[in-house]
Amino acid sequence: MPTPPELTSTSTPLTALAQWSALESHCKELRTTHLRDLFKSDPSRAQALSVDGPDGLFMDYSKQRVTATTMQLLLDLANARGLRSRIDAMFRGEKINVTEQRAVLHVALRAPRGTQILVDGVNVVPAVHEVLDQMSRFADAVRSGEWTGATGKRIRTVINIGIGGSDLGPAMAADALRAYSTNEISFRFVSNVDATDFAEKTRGCDPSETLFIVCSKTFTTLETMTNATTARAWLLAGLATVGRASPAAVAKHFVAVSTNAHKVAEFGIDTTNMFGFWDWVGGRYSMDSAIGLSTMIAIGPAGFREMLSGFHQMDEHFRTTPFAMNLPVIMALVGIWNSNFLGSQTLAVLPYDQYLDRFSAYLQQLEMESNGKHVALDGSRVTWETCPSVWGQPGTNGQHAFYQMIHQGTRLVPCDFIAFCEPLHPLGVHQDLLIANVFAQAEALAFGKTLHEVETEGSPAWLAPHRQFDGNRPSTLLLAPKLTPARLGSLIALYEHKVFVQGTLWGVNSFDQWGVELGKVLAQRIIPELSGNAPTPAHDASTQQLIARYRAARGR
Ligand code: F6P
């Protein structure tokens, strides 16, 4: 049985700390102060509350409802929660994932060759680079056409089968880095156990030109194993039409990414075509491990290593930069201010880059599976709010949909805007229009428009209240020179470390996910009951009714 964690730094409940009370008092003073006044009273505010990070990444958080005092008080809280020692413990490979007794070392996945990071006395970095080299050889062979399918045809479609962390990162990266990807191969992602996903993603694919990458840390996940089984049948049926269906043929069309060699072999995938990773890589922190094989095939080994270097730059920034200038720390503290003191329940992540279409979906798992917890590390129930709900979609689409609520609704919706100066498609005036919009939204949210201004513009008195904007709605703007593989890596590492800092302050384990278990267990119980062969269902009346309806609808 795992031993309970030592909790020297978090044994006092968060809200019992003097630093927490100081923030509460400060919040009472600042709560009614408008961003308009904060900017008016401090001409240096924009510069003072902005930070330059690695590789040209600039973060302006001056439109958050904080002052230098707020930030200092939040830093005091972070220090009281032992943030420094938690960061050091993570980078040292200590088993900070206490409920699973595992180290948390996604930072080792992007550590340069020659670095030393020990887990149980063993340096894990050489093994990381061995797998990266194995991936590189395979990616090159697929990209060049040297790796062929069972009929000798080169691979034209790569289909990643996985779910959660074994899908969201690679799927997001496929979109994000499309401008850097080969046009010779199309990339598709099957995750849902709904057969529609498989049917639609394989529509029009030639089995003899298709490679499946089955990604699953455990290789036991219901959705992934079901889709992989369907994929094998689809492949063999397709190859049978040209007389090439055989177990040997499967080896040319299936590779696996997993920590579980035994299960990979049991499924029938040759373990020489398996790319490994380790239990110290959490699923949602794994897109830079072998789980990113599809990304490497898309952008090539050099592009993938460039992405890793971006991750590593942010890791080093996080590890070495004083907290007051540390992007992930600042972002985390601002989030805690918004959630725990200003009472917001949500975070909108709004990239003004179409390539980041799936970025907020990726962040939903990263943030909400990591910190959506109500039990502290010591097993006690927290008496403070933890993770907000995270959502969003690329600008400017959201402006014509849900921004109305962000501007004039009754709830506080803090926003992270993300923008890049240089376009990947320099067409006409698009980029200026895009950037003007993101700057305008942040400005409008912060400063609003008073009733007086609306009336002065000539609005009749009955209409003016509808056209007035309160403002004082917080946002951070992340501005970078251009979306590149390295900057994508930095951006992801920024959010990974932000999540870690918030988890540390909230006192939860950001690296387990027990909350997904109960539903999985109940689904396993219900599966045989749907066929009608199982013993009498032992569920609540509502669930029994639903099972009965389903069975009737399916004639069972
Ligand atoms: O159900 C949640 C989860 O365990 C995630 O944490 C994980 O990313 C996902 O399922 C997929 O797990 P696996 O990679 O083991 O198939």
Side-chain angles (χ1 to χ4, degrees):
M1 270 316 264
T3 47
E6 271 183 46
L7 288 168
T8 43
S9 61
T10 56
S11 49
T12 308
L14 178 63
T15 48
L17 291 169
Q19 291 83 357
W20 181 274
S21 310
L23 277 157
E24 279 184 326
S25 312
H26 173 67
C27 186
K28 276 188 201 128
E29 287 163 22
L30 196 64
R31 214 186 170 92
T32 51
T33 309
H34 201 287
L35 277 167
R36 283 195 283 261
D37 301 318
L38 292 176
F39 271 87
K40 224 177 272 163
S41 64
D42 179 6
S44 66
R45 179 179 171 84
Q47 290 81 11
L49 299 180
S50 295
V51 194
D52 280 296
D55 203 14
L57 183 59
F58 176 70
M59 184 169 89
D60 180 346
Y61 63 104
S62 62
K63 295 192 187 81
Q64 292 287 347
R65 285 165 55 180
V66 295
T67 63
T69 307
T70 323
M71 294 313 294
Q72 188 51 56
L73 292 172
L74 287 164
L75 286 169
D76 293 345
L77 185 68
N79 290 328
R81 293 297 266 180
L83 179 60
R84 179 76 266 158
S85 63
R86 295 284 294 169
I87 295 173
D88 292 343
M90 177 173 76
F91 277 86
R92 262 201 311 270
E94 283 179 26
K95 296 195 174 163
I96 61 168
N97 175 358
V98 287
T99 61
E100 296 178 323
Q101 294 280 286
R102 289 176 182 166
V104 173
L105 272 181
H106 39 280
V107 294
L109 297 171
R110 48 266 191 157
R113 244 184 251 276
T115 314
Q116 175 166 291
I117 302 178
L118 302 178
V119 177
D120 294 329
V122 177
N123 182 13
V124 296
V125 179
V128 166
H129 283 273
E130 248 168 61
V131 174
L132 281 172
D133 292 343
Q134 182 200 3
M135 289 166 65
S136 301
R137 287 190 295 275
F138 181 72
D140 277 338
V142 173
R143 284 165 64 85
S144 68
E146 180 197 332
W147 178 282
T148 62
T151 66
K153 285 191 186 171
R154 63 172 297 173
I155 300 299
R156 295 287 176 195
T157 306
V158 168
I159 302 184
N160 190 90
I161 297 179
I163 197 162
S166 298
D167 164 69
L168 289 162
M172 179 271 290
D175 280 345
L177 301 176
R178 199 172 291 285
Y180 300 90
S181 297
T182 175
N183 291 324
E184 302 285 315
I185 301 169
S186 93
F187 294 86
R188 305 179 187 200
F189 296 83
V190 174
S191 53
N192 200 328
V193 77
D194 181 344
T196 297
D197 201 11
F198 183 85
E200 287 300 332
K201 299 292 170 46
T202 48
R203 189 197 282 262
C205 292
D206 177 349
S208 63
E209 296 182 342
T210 300
L211 174 74
F212 290 99
I213 304 179
V214 185
C215 285
S216 175
K217 183 173 169 181
T218 54
F219 233 70
T220 57
T221 304
L222 172 87
E223 292 87 341
T224 302
M225 299 332 293
T226 307
N227 279 319
T229 304
T230 302
R232 192 173 45 194
W234 176 86
L235 175 83
L236 289 171
L239 293 181
T241 63
V242 289
R244 300 304 282 267
S246 71
V250 172
K252 301 297 289 174
H253 294 270
F254 271 81
V255 297
V257 179
S258 186
T259 58
N260 192 341
H262 170 69
K263 287 277 174 199
V264 169
E266 207 173 81
F267 179 81
I269 296 179
D270 187 346
T271 47
T272 49
N273 297 331
M274 171 182 157
F275 300 84
F277 62 117
W278 306 270
D279 73 356
W280 41 261
V281 183
R284 53 195 175 273
Y285 298 87
S286 67
M287 62 165 287
D288 48 339
S289 71
I291 291 290
L293 184 60
S294 63
T295 313
M296 191 190 269
I297 297 172
I299 64 173
F304 195 82
R305 283 175 197 272
E306 203 196 304
M307 183 180 83
L308 295 184
S309 77
F311 271 100
H312 180 66
Q313 279 191 64
M314 185 58 75
D315 294 342
E316 284 304 282
H317 169 87
F318 177 53
R319 192 177 65 82
T320 61
T321 309
F323 290 163
M325 305 295 288
N326 190 312
L327 264 66
V329 173
I330 293 169
M331 209 179 201
L333 296 181
V334 164
I336 283 183
W337 175 250
N338 287 332
S339 292
N340 297 94
F341 297 94
L342 297 185
S344 78
Q345 307 209 335
T346 181
L347 171 68
V349 180
L350 307 163
Y352 276 62
D353 190 304
Q354 187 61 33
Y355 281 126
L356 294 184
D357 197 17
R358 306 233 24 215
F359 192 64
S360 56
Y362 171 78
L363 286 187
Q364 281 178 331
Q365 188 199 16
L366 181 63
E367 300 228 11
M368 294 159 82
E369 202 174 72
S370 296
N371 286 339
K373 315 228 161 116
H374 68 254
V375 175
L377 281 161
D378 63 1
S380 62
R381 222 182 157 93
V382 302
T383 52
W384 49 89
E385 298 289 349
T386 61
C387 188
S389 56
V390 178
W391 55 284
Q393 58 167 274
T396 59
N397 302 12
Q399 290 174 208
H400 297 272
F402 52 80
Y403 276 40
Q404 163 66 40
M405 184 262 203
I406 304 181
H407 283 286
Q408 287 189 321
T410 53
R411 294 175 191 276
L412 189 68
V413 183
C415 301
D416 284 356
F417 293 109
I418 302 169
F420 299 91
C421 298
E422 207 180 312
L424 285 161
H425 299 283
L427 298 174
V429 294
H430 285 263
Q431 184 68 4
D432 286 356
L433 302 188
L434 181 70
I435 295 299
N437 270 282
V438 65
F439 292 171
Q441 291 301 325
E443 186 176 5
L445 287 169
F447 300 103
K449 194 175 195 180
T450 65
L451 201 56
H452 176 70
E453 284 168 338
V454 176
E455 285 171 349
T456 311
E457 280 176 4
S459 271
W462 64 267
L463 185 57
H466 298 276
R467 304 192 69 177
Q468 177 241 334
F469 292 76
D470 287 343
N472 214 21
R473 297 180 181 232
S475 69
T476 291
L477 204 143
L478 288 165
L479 189 64
K482 184 182 178 181
L483 177 58
T484 61
R487 293 211 179 87
L488 180 71
S490 283
L491 196 59
I492 295 163
L494 166 62
Y495 278 92
E496 285 177 347
H497 296 319
K498 170 207 133 164
V499 164
F500 176 61
V501 174
Q502 292 190 331
T504 298
L505 268 72
W506 286 324
V508 298
N509 180 4
S510 303
F511 304 105
D512 61 12
Q513 56 283 318
W514 301 105
V516 302
E517 293 302 324
L518 180 57
K520 287 187 192 174
V521 171
L522 291 180
Q524 287 298 342
R525 195 183 298 164
I526 292 172
I527 290 166
E529 293 168 357
L530 295 180
S531 66
N533 299 326
T536 318
H539 299 281
D540 61 276
S542 162
T543 308
Q544 287 198 36
Q545 168 178 269
L546 294 167
I547 292 170
R549 285 245 163 192
Y550 178 80
R551 278 164 45 166
R554 301 295 308 270
R556 294 171 185 164

